Amino acid sequence: MSYQLSAVIADIELLREQTAELDHAVLGELRQDFALLPVTPQLVEELTGALPDYSVEERDDEHPFDLVFGTALTAILARWSGRGPVAYVEAEFAGGLGYQSAAVWLAGALRWG
């Protein structure tokens, strides 16, 4: 069994407000008033006006994500975090092997990851 995850996790009301006008935003409700927003190429394009860029580098501490955080996407997540923590999570597993990475923005700045 395998899976791939690329998503933003934040307060459900924050994500509802920020994505209400977006065609490609689908929220999955989580416990404790959080929601998961799958990050698809269509969503990134809708948010930033450009197709997403993906890393060709081998994943390591310096390059933990497949998705490359451009200036526009980083600014959006930082802006959203002015109202509470916003996490970007990525994971991919196949046959028990894989990786997982996360970054958290709070009060407009990257705080973890």
Side-chain angles (χ1 to χ4, degrees):
M1 180 171 202
S2 65
Y3 78 91
Q4 184 176 11
L5 172 70
S6 177
V8 171
I9 298 174
D11 177 82
I12 193 166
E13 291 306 318
L14 183 154
L15 289 178
R16 278 186 183 141
E17 290 173 13
Q18 298 301 321
T19 63
E21 302 298 320
L22 300 177
D23 292 332
H24 298 287
V26 178
L27 297 180
E29 291 189 31
L30 302 173
R31 292 180 180 180
Q32 299 180 345
D33 297 324
F34 282 93
L36 182 138
L37 171 64
V39 176
T40 63
Q42 296 86 354
L43 178 66
V44 172
E45 184 175 16
E46 191 172 16
L47 286 169
T48 67
L51 289 171
D53 190 15
Y54 294 96
S55 178
V56 295
E57 303 286 331
E58 191 71 28
R59 253 187 303 301
D60 60 22
D61 290 344
E62 295 296 316
H63 305 96
F65 302 110
D66 273 341
L67 181 63
V68 174
F69 286 91
T71 306
L73 185 56
T74 301
I76 289 166
L77 296 175
R79 181 172 36 90
W80 289 1
S81 76
R83 296 209 21 242
V86 173
Y88 173 76
V89 297
E90 220 179 73
E92 184 174 351
F93 285 89
L97 300 175
Y99 79 97
Q100 56 189 12
S101 300
V104 179
W105 285 262
L106 181 60
L110 182 64
R111 299 293 180 176
W112 188 84

